[in-house]
Amino acid sequence: MMELNFPLRPKENETAEKVLGGPVEYCVPCDLDMNQKMLKNSYLVIGKNRYAILNDGEVTESRDIGQFRDYQVTPNVGNVIIEARDDSGSLIVCRATMKHAPRYGYIAQILDAKSKNLKEHIFNDEPERRCSKCGRLLVGRSRVCPNCSGRRTAFKKIFRIGSKQIGIVAVATVLAFAVTAISLITPKIQRIMTDKCLDTTNQFIDPDINVFIWCIIGLASCTVVSRMIELIRGRMVSAMAPRIAADLRDTVYRRIQELSLRFLTSQRAGDVMNRITSDTDRICNFIQDLFLQLVHHGILLLFVSGLLFMTDWRMALFVLLPTPIMAYAQMKIWRKVLHRLFRKQFRLDDKTNSYLHDTLGGIRVVKAFGREKREIDRFDAHCKAFADASIKSEWTWSMLIPVSNFIISLSRVMLVYLGASMILEGTLTPGALTEFQSYAALISGPVSWIMGLPRRFADASMSVDRIYSVIDEEPEITNSKEPVAVSIQGDVEFENVTFGYNSYEPVLKNINLSVKKGEMIGLVGHSGAGKSTLINLICRFYDVNDGTLSIDGIDIRKIDMQSLHSQIGVVLQETFLFTGTIFDNIRYARPNATVQEVIAAAKAANAHDFIVSYPDGYDTWVNENGNNFSGGERQRLAIARAILVNPRILILDEATSSLDIDTETLIQEALGRLIKGRTTFAIAHRLSTLRNADRLVVFEKGEIAEIGTHRELMEKKGIYYGLIMAQRQMSRPKENVAVAR
């Protein structure tokens, strides 16, 4: 819920209640003054009949709400205002930064309702873009708070992903134990060779040749067996990673398909694609590395550390003491510096990919306006910003690792010095020193791997946060607990429906409309009046904020969505064709349709003739978004796709917008046959195409302004009449030019 009643300090609250003449009902920040200077402690407080501005606890303005009318929120450049009107002009009530724009949308509705002595009726379901744990504002479009995404949570999610291949993990763990055991045997064999075959001056003395031979055989056998086990374990874990990647990508993509349009339209396409591709790859690479190395290095480090202390605790301290110190230092530096740098690097990578996706999608527009150089410069700027962030983070990391390695290497030098001193004192044999150095060398691998683990885990944990921001997102539009699968007849009724894509900005207001089975309804009005929004509600892309939308007397929210969508045919204003054949694109609406049914649908849409004119006919390949077809051809294929569903409710959103006059005539004839017996909602800016509609519904600023037939509305000479006259006026010059020619 959007916060609309910020708490005031006791003295401020007392002052507000005194000037309002009653309790504070609403309180929101107004952090800009009329000269757009920042204010730290300024609020708009609203009571029953008055409002006031409090600045640092002092009342700077107070007015009766009913003194003005038409309260509305107006976005400006970098700020937002609430303004109202009276007989003498307009008044700016208060001003704030853009982060408070949604909040001000609600407040404007409240003030307007109070000015009309109406009960406030707002639908405050707009979430705050703040972290629910720490209250910090979320960055950009991210739904993950970088301050609260803990390591423990990330580790749990990573292990949850990896646990799906628990069988392979178990076998790989057993094999890791075997490799570790063999690794621990090798230094023992080396000690025996040194003590039995060399004296303290490193000169050969009458060695036991059998011992020497068996030691060589033992070392060779350990090497061969160890490498074979590592090969088997590596192949097993390598096979595990692609399975996890496929499963993870399928999970993310499945969730994306389940999520509502509201979520998907709030995300950049490049961001979503990165989650399915790059982020899943990072996670799988980390899981593969984790299960391949963590068990082996962990066991090795544990056992070798024990053996080192058993051999000599002083030398063991020289070897092991730097490791926890450097690990602690790395952890501190990571939390303070590197975590922020790498998160910024990820964010800029997303921004670059999204920009690239947008530009390639609109490449025709770029070339049409000759803006190639501009787009190259903009992409270069994105790449440089990403490169600068990467250089900064990598430079910091590259400084950290050499310092760590230097300190560890220094401890090894001290180990040699201490060991040599002990040999000279006679408290240590050369074989024991050799064994100790071998064990010390064994843990160098695990220590180096652990030193690099924070970086690898950071990449994976950020990817986990981003992926789970999609997976954990709850679908906004879902089936009810007991969905009803119905055979739709076609009665549609809107009852006091109010809806806004943002609930603080209603697009449709108190809509009441009853449509009977088989009726054709033409939706008319200026752009932004709410026509397409009405269509979106019928398709249940969104749910109403208030009121009821029912089909055949059943609330649309109770109808099974699969059942609903399978009985609605849609031709949207933006025609989209998938890469594939013409046949596949038409049959997309009904995958089990026969060849004859597909051809019949194409004929009904007057698409058959141009399809068979291609050498490959219905097997003609459709390029990305149908760019190898004209706009009219794409539109007819979309109409054929809708016809194939044999819908009970047909929706035509500018279905003939891309057609020339001759083709449009053919389409109108086809649609005339198609709409018989079906409830049809049609939107067309060319109003002449809606003459034969049973009723025309005229929208004005989100409300139904007029309803009637073409003749009735023309006789009424209202909004519809004005639109018709305006279109006729626009067409006359073209007709005169044609006559002159």
Side-chain angles (χ1 to χ4, degrees), residues 159-172:
F159 274 105
R160 191 188 309 162
I161 294 169
S163 64
K164 294 180 179 180
Q165 300 290 329
I166 190 64
I168 295 177
V169 172
V171 176

Side-chain angles (χ1 to χ4, degrees), residues 275-513:
R275 282 159 173 73
I276 299 176
T277 54
S278 302
D279 286 330
T280 54
D281 284 341
R282 287 192 190 98
I283 292 172
C284 291
N285 290 336
F286 179 74
I287 289 175
Q288 181 174 340
D289 191 31
L290 192 69
F291 285 112
L292 190 64
Q293 302 294 344
L294 180 62
V295 176
H296 172 62
H297 287 317
I299 296 170
L300 195 61
L301 186 61
L302 181 65
F303 279 94
V304 170
S305 298
L307 289 172
L308 289 176
F309 276 101
M310 288 172 61
T311 304
D312 190 279
W313 67 270
R314 293 168 297 175
M315 290 195 298
L317 283 177
F318 271 107
V319 174
L320 297 174
L321 189 59
T323 302
I325 296 174
M326 292 310 303
Y328 178 78
Q330 280 197 19
M331 182 178 66
K332 284 294 183 183
I333 294 172
W334 177 261
R335 286 182 177 176
K336 297 291 184 183
V337 182
L338 283 172
H339 187 261
R340 175 174 49 83
L341 292 177
F342 278 111
R343 194 169 285 277
K344 181 181 179 181
Q345 182 180 332
F346 269 58
R347 198 162 57 246
L348 288 172
D349 184 34
D350 273 352
K351 192 174 181 180
T352 303
N353 288 333
S354 294
Y355 172 79
L356 182 62
H357 180 273
D358 291 344
T359 306
L360 293 178
I363 194 66
R364 288 189 175 188
V365 177
V366 174
K367 291 191 172 295
F369 287 94
R371 290 292 181 266
E372 293 91 344
K373 178 65 168 59
R374 176 176 179 269
E375 296 304 329
I376 290 171
D377 292 342
R378 291 178 67 187
F379 184 69
D380 185 53
H382 281 291
C383 291
K384 284 181 178 177
F386 174 68
D388 291 342
S390 301
I391 290 169
K392 194 171 183 180
S393 58
E394 295 297 340
W395 183 86
T396 306
W397 178 257
S398 66
M399 288 294 292
L400 191 61
I401 294 300
V403 171
S404 301
N405 290 336
F406 171 75
I407 294 175
I408 293 172
S409 299
L410 192 62
S411 70
R412 301 290 166 76
V413 174
M414 296 301 297
L415 170 66
V416 174
Y417 171 77
L418 181 63
S421 300
M422 293 174 69
I423 290 174
L424 293 176
E425 293 172 358
T427 58
L428 190 72
T429 66
L433 179 60
T434 301
E435 179 187 13
F436 200 94
Q437 287 180 316
S438 297
Y439 282 134
L442 276 178
I443 67 169
S444 63
V447 168
S448 298
W449 186 84
I450 290 172
M451 288 295 181
L453 185 61
R455 165 66 188 277
R456 292 190 293 272
F457 175 70
D459 286 349
S461 63
M462 282 186 279
S463 293
V464 163
D465 286 342
R466 287 148 53 86
I467 282 179
Y468 272 88
S469 71
V470 176
I471 295 176
D472 292 342
E473 181 74 20
E474 290 298 325
E476 197 172 304
I477 308 299
T478 58
N479 275 327
S480 62
K481 292 183 179 179
E482 297 181 358
V484 180
V486 298
S487 178
I488 292 176
Q489 300 302 309
D491 291 331
V492 179
E493 185 166 359
F494 292 82
E495 191 174 348
N496 299 320
V497 167
T498 297
F499 170 77
Y501 297 102
N502 298 312
S503 55
Y504 56 87
E505 294 176 333
V507 178
L508 296 176
K509 307 167 190 174
N510 199 33
I511 300 298
N512 287 281
L513 177 64

Side-chain angles (χ1 to χ4, degrees), residues 66-86:
Q67 184 179 346
F68 294 87
R69 63 180 184 276
D70 298 332
Y71 288 85
Q72 61 182 4
V73 62
T74 304
N76 295 317
V77 179
N79 66 90
V80 61
I81 63 174
I82 294 177
E83 60 180 346
R85 296 181 180 279
D86 65 2

Side-chain angles (χ1 to χ4, degrees), residues 214-249:
W214 279 111
C215 286
I216 293 296
I217 293 173
L219 288 173
S221 300
C222 287
T223 302
V224 172
V225 174
S226 176
R227 294 297 176 267
M228 288 181 64
I229 294 174
E230 286 181 351
L231 177 64
I232 295 170
R233 189 166 64 96
R235 290 176 66 88
M236 289 179 63
V237 177
S238 297
M240 177 182 73
R243 294 193 187 102
I244 292 176
D247 184 62
L248 193 55
R249 286 176 179 168

Side-chain angles (χ1 to χ4, degrees), residues 69-197:
R69 63 180 184 276
D70 298 332
Y71 288 85
Q72 61 182 4
V73 62
T74 304
N76 295 317
V77 179
N79 66 90
V80 61
I81 63 174
I82 294 177
E83 60 180 346
R85 296 181 180 279
D86 65 2
D87 295 334
S88 60
S90 61
L91 165 77
I92 296 178
V93 176
C94 59
R95 188 187 298 270
T97 52
M98 287 303 294
K99 67 181 180 182
H100 293 299
R103 210 179 319 277
Y104 273 35
Y106 291 121
I107 294 299
Q109 293 179 53
I110 291 166
L111 289 171
D112 195 56
K114 284 179 174 291
S115 71
K116 298 173 182 176
N117 292 319
L118 299 175
K119 183 180 179 181
E120 305 101 81
H121 192 52
I122 63 171
F123 316 103
N124 184 4
D125 59 359
E126 195 72 21
E128 288 271 19
R129 293 206 44 77
R130 292 179 177 272
C131 175
S132 58
K133 292 182 179 178
C134 68
R136 288 194 168 121
L137 284 171
L138 299 178
V139 179
R141 292 175 172 83
S142 173
R143 301 197 174 206
V144 178
C145 177
N147 188 61
C148 297
S149 53
R151 293 188 170 202
R152 183 178 298 178
T153 303
F155 258 122
K156 285 181 180 179
K157 290 177 178 177
I158 289 173
F159 274 105
R160 191 188 309 162
I161 294 169
S163 64
K164 294 180 179 180
Q165 300 290 329
I166 190 64
I168 295 177
V169 172
V171 176
T173 302
V174 172
L175 294 178
F177 270 103
V179 172
T180 302
I182 294 172
S183 300
L184 297 177
I185 293 172
T186 303
K188 292 290 184 184
I189 297 175
Q190 291 175 340
R191 178 177 182 172
I192 293 171
M193 284 183 63
T194 303
D195 287 340
K196 294 290 184 181
C197 302

